[in-house]
Amino acid sequence: MIKYIFYFTTLLLSIVSSYAQDFQGMAVYESKTSMADLNNRLDSNKDITPEMRKMIEERVKGMFEKTFTLHFDKVASIYEEEQKLDAPGQDGGPFKMMSSMTGGGGKQYKNVKDKKVMMEKDIFGKEFLVSDSLPVIKWKMENESKKIGNYTCYKATAQMPVDKSNMMNFRPKKGAEEKMKKLQEEGNEEELKKTNFMDMVEMPDFVEVTAWYTPEIPINQGPANYWGLPGLILEVNDGKTNILCSKIVLNTKEKVEIKEPKKGQKVTQEEFAEILMKKMQEMQQMGGPGGGGRMRMGG
């Protein structure tokens, strides 16, 4: 028995040692957000032709389907959206700006030892460095497991603080959609123009998330703002957006420098969310993206 205990302890130490040395890995994630809300709005708008609908769906697809790469070591990671050169909106226009406002664009740096998160964001050509503490996530371990690729994963759930700088987290206020539909049916163009988008939506404080992590990669990293489990998070779902790992490479031959980003005006998450809301209101007053004016980008 002592012989087996010694063998098991030696094996465990060798595994831990291999991770403690110059360990680095890379994971690719596919992020998909439900288009149900958009489809409902398009269905209710009688003025949209099939051709217009197809164009809108193609243009916004890049905001609803993204690919990210996570480079990680023992304590830190860099999470970055892969730029698809042939995708609509990658030409620096308003759709690129919208991508940045919907969880894409720039780099995100997480350090689980220092409990720090930093993100590069570009809004209307002005660069921001959003720097804050990692969100506290109180995970509840569930008695479920499944395979993702070759890895055995375990389920965990949590109530997580909402990223208020991601427009995908907006929810329509109660009765807002019915009000808009009624105005459209009545052909009340004046009231429609007066309607403030920000008065029609709200941002919840928390969202219910389900994550699947694998102890076979014993680091507490994950995509986006997710972290804090005893293994790499390979899948996470917040009820609207699903992020799923499609590829993992451990001990990559080409090492990536995982360091804090430096570009941009330094702001907190709360300050950046306030700047974003202000710019969205300005954009609506100007008639939306490309609405005939030039957006000012102050500090």
Short mmCIF file of all heavy atoms in Angstrom, two decimals, residues 139-148 151-157 210-217 229-236:
data_model
loop_
_atom_site.label_atom_id
_atom_site.label_comp_id
_atom_site.label_asym_id
_atom_site.label_seq_id
_atom_site.Cartn_x
_atom_site.Cartn_y
_atom_site.Cartn_z
N TRP A 139 -18.92 30.38 -7.47
CA TRP A 139 -19.34 29.20 -8.22
C TRP A 139 -19.98 28.15 -7.31
O TRP A 139 -19.53 27.93 -6.19
CB TRP A 139 -18.16 28.56 -8.94
CG TRP A 139 -17.58 29.39 -10.04
CD1 TRP A 139 -16.40 30.08 -10.01
CD2 TRP A 139 -18.14 29.61 -11.35
NE1 TRP A 139 -16.19 30.72 -11.21
CE2 TRP A 139 -17.23 30.45 -12.05
CE3 TRP A 139 -19.29 29.18 -11.98
CZ2 TRP A 139 -17.46 30.85 -13.36
CZ3 TRP A 139 -19.53 29.59 -13.28
CH2 TRP A 139 -18.62 30.41 -13.96
N LYS A 140 -21.00 27.49 -7.82
CA LYS A 140 -21.62 26.35 -7.14
C LYS A 140 -21.34 25.11 -7.98
O LYS A 140 -21.70 25.05 -9.16
CB LYS A 140 -23.14 26.56 -7.02
CG LYS A 140 -23.85 25.39 -6.37
CD LYS A 140 -25.37 25.59 -6.40
CE LYS A 140 -26.08 24.36 -5.85
NZ LYS A 140 -27.55 24.48 -5.98
N MET A 141 -20.66 24.14 -7.38
CA MET A 141 -20.31 22.93 -8.11
C MET A 141 -21.54 22.02 -8.23
O MET A 141 -22.21 21.74 -7.24
CB MET A 141 -19.18 22.18 -7.39
CG MET A 141 -17.94 23.02 -7.17
SD MET A 141 -17.29 23.70 -8.71
CE MET A 141 -15.76 24.42 -8.13
N GLU A 142 -21.81 21.58 -9.45
CA GLU A 142 -22.97 20.72 -9.71
C GLU A 142 -22.50 19.28 -9.95
O GLU A 142 -21.35 19.03 -10.31
CB GLU A 142 -23.73 21.22 -10.94
CG GLU A 142 -24.13 22.69 -10.88
CD GLU A 142 -25.24 22.97 -9.89
OE1 GLU A 142 -25.82 22.00 -9.34
OE2 GLU A 142 -25.55 24.15 -9.67
N ASN A 143 -23.41 18.35 -9.75
CA ASN A 143 -23.07 16.92 -9.87
C ASN A 143 -23.34 16.41 -11.29
O ASN A 143 -24.11 15.48 -11.50
CB ASN A 143 -23.88 16.11 -8.85
CG ASN A 143 -23.39 14.67 -8.77
OD1 ASN A 143 -22.23 14.39 -9.05
ND2 ASN A 143 -24.28 13.76 -8.40
N GLU A 144 -22.72 17.08 -12.28
CA GLU A 144 -22.89 16.68 -13.67
C GLU A 144 -21.54 16.76 -14.39
O GLU A 144 -20.71 17.62 -14.06
CB GLU A 144 -23.89 17.58 -14.39
CG GLU A 144 -25.33 17.44 -13.93
CD GLU A 144 -26.27 18.32 -14.73
OE1 GLU A 144 -26.17 18.31 -15.98
OE2 GLU A 144 -27.09 19.03 -14.13
N SER A 145 -21.37 15.90 -15.36
CA SER A 145 -20.14 15.94 -16.17
C SER A 145 -20.48 15.61 -17.62
O SER A 145 -21.52 15.03 -17.92
CB SER A 145 -19.10 14.95 -15.63
OG SER A 145 -19.57 13.62 -15.76
N LYS A 146 -19.58 16.00 -18.52
CA LYS A 146 -19.74 15.66 -19.94
C LYS A 146 -18.38 15.81 -20.63
O LYS A 146 -17.45 16.40 -20.07
CB LYS A 146 -20.78 16.55 -20.61
CG LYS A 146 -20.38 18.01 -20.80
CD LYS A 146 -21.45 18.76 -21.60
CE LYS A 146 -21.05 20.20 -21.85
NZ LYS A 146 -22.06 20.94 -22.66
N LYS A 147 -18.29 15.29 -21.81
CA LYS A 147 -17.06 15.39 -22.60
C LYS A 147 -17.15 16.58 -23.55
O LYS A 147 -18.16 16.78 -24.22
CB LYS A 147 -16.85 14.11 -23.42
CG LYS A 147 -16.26 12.95 -22.63
CD LYS A 147 -14.75 13.04 -22.60
CE LYS A 147 -14.13 11.76 -22.07
NZ LYS A 147 -12.65 11.83 -22.06
N ILE A 148 -16.10 17.38 -23.58
CA ILE A 148 -15.93 18.41 -24.60
C ILE A 148 -14.62 18.08 -25.29
O ILE A 148 -13.54 18.21 -24.69
CB ILE A 148 -15.91 19.82 -24.00
CG1 ILE A 148 -17.25 20.14 -23.33
CG2 ILE A 148 -15.59 20.86 -25.08
CD1 ILE A 148 -17.31 21.51 -22.69
N TYR A 151 -11.71 16.06 -23.41
CA TYR A 151 -11.61 16.42 -21.99
C TYR A 151 -12.92 16.16 -21.24
O TYR A 151 -14.01 16.48 -21.73
CB TYR A 151 -11.23 17.89 -21.84
CG TYR A 151 -9.85 18.20 -22.37
CD1 TYR A 151 -9.66 18.62 -23.69
CD2 TYR A 151 -8.72 18.06 -21.57
CE1 TYR A 151 -8.40 18.88 -24.19
CE2 TYR A 151 -7.45 18.32 -22.05
CZ TYR A 151 -7.29 18.74 -23.36
OH TYR A 151 -6.03 19.00 -23.85
N THR A 152 -12.79 15.58 -20.05
CA THR A 152 -13.94 15.41 -19.16
C THR A 152 -14.15 16.72 -18.41
O THR A 152 -13.23 17.24 -17.78
CB THR A 152 -13.69 14.27 -18.15
OG1 THR A 152 -13.48 13.06 -18.87
CG2 THR A 152 -14.89 14.11 -17.23
N CYS A 153 -15.37 17.24 -18.52
CA CYS A 153 -15.68 18.55 -17.92
C CYS A 153 -16.77 18.41 -16.87
O CYS A 153 -17.62 17.52 -16.94
CB CYS A 153 -16.14 19.53 -19.00
SG CYS A 153 -14.87 19.90 -20.22
N TYR A 154 -16.73 19.30 -15.89
CA TYR A 154 -17.69 19.30 -14.80
C TYR A 154 -18.45 20.62 -14.78
O TYR A 154 -17.90 21.68 -15.12
CB TYR A 154 -16.97 19.05 -13.47
CG TYR A 154 -16.30 17.69 -13.45
CD1 TYR A 154 -14.99 17.54 -13.91
CD2 TYR A 154 -16.99 16.56 -13.01
CE1 TYR A 154 -14.38 16.29 -13.92
CE2 TYR A 154 -16.37 15.30 -13.02
CZ TYR A 154 -15.08 15.18 -13.47
OH TYR A 154 -14.48 13.94 -13.50
N LYS A 155 -19.69 20.53 -14.36
CA LYS A 155 -20.60 21.68 -14.40
C LYS A 155 -20.50 22.53 -13.15
O LYS A 155 -20.36 22.03 -12.04
CB LYS A 155 -22.04 21.19 -14.57
CG LYS A 155 -23.09 22.28 -14.72
CD LYS A 155 -24.46 21.65 -14.91
CE LYS A 155 -25.55 22.69 -15.04
NZ LYS A 155 -26.90 22.06 -15.20
N ALA A 156 -20.57 23.85 -13.34
CA ALA A 156 -20.63 24.81 -12.23
C ALA A 156 -21.57 25.93 -12.64
O ALA A 156 -21.66 26.30 -13.81
CB ALA A 156 -19.24 25.36 -11.91
N THR A 157 -22.29 26.48 -11.67
CA THR A 157 -23.22 27.58 -11.95
C THR A 157 -22.93 28.75 -11.02
O THR A 157 -22.35 28.57 -9.94
CB THR A 157 -24.69 27.14 -11.78
OG1 THR A 157 -24.87 26.63 -10.45
CG2 THR A 157 -25.06 26.08 -12.78
N THR A 210 -23.81 29.20 -16.64
CA THR A 210 -23.45 27.79 -16.48
C THR A 210 -22.12 27.57 -17.17
O THR A 210 -21.96 27.96 -18.33
CB THR A 210 -24.51 26.87 -17.11
OG1 THR A 210 -25.76 27.07 -16.45
CG2 THR A 210 -24.10 25.42 -16.98
N ALA A 211 -21.18 27.00 -16.46
CA ALA A 211 -19.84 26.77 -17.01
C ALA A 211 -19.48 25.29 -16.92
O ALA A 211 -19.96 24.56 -16.04
CB ALA A 211 -18.81 27.61 -16.26
N TRP A 212 -18.62 24.86 -17.85
CA TRP A 212 -18.08 23.51 -17.85
C TRP A 212 -16.55 23.63 -17.87
O TRP A 212 -15.99 24.25 -18.77
CB TRP A 212 -18.56 22.73 -19.07
CG TRP A 212 -20.04 22.51 -19.06
CD1 TRP A 212 -21.00 23.33 -19.57
CD2 TRP A 212 -20.73 21.39 -18.51
NE1 TRP A 212 -22.25 22.80 -19.36
CE2 TRP A 212 -22.12 21.60 -18.72
CE3 TRP A 212 -20.32 20.20 -17.86
CZ2 TRP A 212 -23.09 20.68 -18.31
CZ3 TRP A 212 -21.30 19.30 -17.46
CH2 TRP A 212 -22.66 19.54 -17.67
N TYR A 213 -15.90 23.06 -16.86
CA TYR A 213 -14.44 23.20 -16.71
C TYR A 213 -13.81 21.81 -16.64
O TYR A 213 -14.45 20.82 -16.28
CB TYR A 213 -14.10 23.98 -15.44
CG TYR A 213 -14.45 23.25 -14.17
CD1 TYR A 213 -13.50 22.49 -13.48
CD2 TYR A 213 -15.75 23.29 -13.64
CE1 TYR A 213 -13.83 21.80 -12.33
CE2 TYR A 213 -16.09 22.61 -12.50
CZ TYR A 213 -15.12 21.86 -11.84
OH TYR A 213 -15.46 21.16 -10.69
N THR A 214 -12.52 21.76 -17.00
CA THR A 214 -11.81 20.49 -16.95
C THR A 214 -10.61 20.55 -15.99
O THR A 214 -9.68 21.34 -16.21
CB THR A 214 -11.34 20.04 -18.35
OG1 THR A 214 -10.59 18.82 -18.21
CG2 THR A 214 -10.47 21.10 -19.03
N PRO A 215 -10.62 19.73 -14.94
CA PRO A 215 -9.46 19.66 -14.04
C PRO A 215 -8.22 19.07 -14.71
O PRO A 215 -7.12 19.13 -14.15
CB PRO A 215 -9.96 18.74 -12.91
CG PRO A 215 -11.45 18.72 -13.03
CD PRO A 215 -11.72 18.88 -14.49
N GLU A 216 -8.40 18.51 -15.91
CA GLU A 216 -7.26 17.95 -16.64
C GLU A 216 -6.30 19.04 -17.10
O GLU A 216 -5.15 18.76 -17.44
CB GLU A 216 -7.76 17.13 -17.83
CG GLU A 216 -8.55 15.90 -17.42
CD GLU A 216 -9.27 15.24 -18.59
OE1 GLU A 216 -8.76 15.31 -19.73
OE2 GLU A 216 -10.36 14.68 -18.37
N ILE A 217 -6.78 20.29 -17.12
CA ILE A 217 -5.91 21.45 -17.37
C ILE A 217 -6.06 22.33 -16.12
O ILE A 217 -6.93 23.20 -16.05
CB ILE A 217 -6.32 22.21 -18.64
CG1 ILE A 217 -6.38 21.25 -19.84
CG2 ILE A 217 -5.32 23.35 -18.93
CD1 ILE A 217 -6.85 21.89 -21.12
N LEU A 229 -12.38 28.61 -11.43
CA LEU A 229 -12.72 27.20 -11.23
C LEU A 229 -11.44 26.35 -11.24
O LEU A 229 -10.43 26.77 -11.80
CB LEU A 229 -13.69 26.74 -12.33
CG LEU A 229 -15.14 27.23 -12.16
CD1 LEU A 229 -15.93 27.03 -13.43
CD2 LEU A 229 -15.82 26.54 -10.98
N PRO A 230 -11.49 25.17 -10.64
CA PRO A 230 -10.26 24.35 -10.56
C PRO A 230 -9.95 23.62 -11.86
O PRO A 230 -9.78 22.40 -11.89
CB PRO A 230 -10.59 23.36 -9.43
CG PRO A 230 -12.08 23.23 -9.48
CD PRO A 230 -12.60 24.58 -9.87
N GLY A 231 -9.92 24.38 -12.93
CA GLY A 231 -9.63 23.82 -14.25
C GLY A 231 -10.05 24.81 -15.31
O GLY A 231 -10.89 25.68 -15.08
N LEU A 232 -9.45 24.70 -16.49
CA LEU A 232 -9.76 25.61 -17.59
C LEU A 232 -11.24 25.49 -17.99
O LEU A 232 -11.75 24.39 -18.18
CB LEU A 232 -8.88 25.29 -18.79
CG LEU A 232 -9.07 26.17 -20.04
CD1 LEU A 232 -8.68 27.60 -19.77
CD2 LEU A 232 -8.27 25.60 -21.23
N ILE A 233 -11.92 26.63 -18.12
CA ILE A 233 -13.32 26.64 -18.54
C ILE A 233 -13.38 26.45 -20.05
O ILE A 233 -12.83 27.25 -20.81
CB ILE A 233 -14.01 27.96 -18.12
CG1 ILE A 233 -14.00 28.11 -16.59
CG2 ILE A 233 -15.43 28.01 -18.65
CD1 ILE A 233 -14.46 29.47 -16.10
N LEU A 234 -14.09 25.40 -20.47
CA LEU A 234 -14.18 25.11 -21.91
C LEU A 234 -15.50 25.53 -22.52
O LEU A 234 -15.60 25.67 -23.74
CB LEU A 234 -13.96 23.60 -22.16
CG LEU A 234 -12.61 23.01 -21.75
CD1 LEU A 234 -12.46 21.61 -22.30
CD2 LEU A 234 -11.46 23.89 -22.20
N GLU A 235 -16.53 25.73 -21.70
CA GLU A 235 -17.81 26.20 -22.21
C GLU A 235 -18.52 27.02 -21.15
O GLU A 235 -18.44 26.71 -19.96
CB GLU A 235 -18.71 25.02 -22.63
CG GLU A 235 -20.03 25.46 -23.24
CD GLU A 235 -20.90 24.29 -23.70
OE1 GLU A 235 -20.50 23.12 -23.50
OE2 GLU A 235 -21.98 24.55 -24.27
N VAL A 236 -19.20 28.07 -21.60
CA VAL A 236 -19.98 28.89 -20.67
C VAL A 236 -21.19 29.46 -21.41
O VAL A 236 -21.10 29.80 -22.58
CB VAL A 236 -19.11 30.01 -20.04
CG1 VAL A 236 -18.65 30.99 -21.08
CG2 VAL A 236 -19.83 30.70 -18.91
#
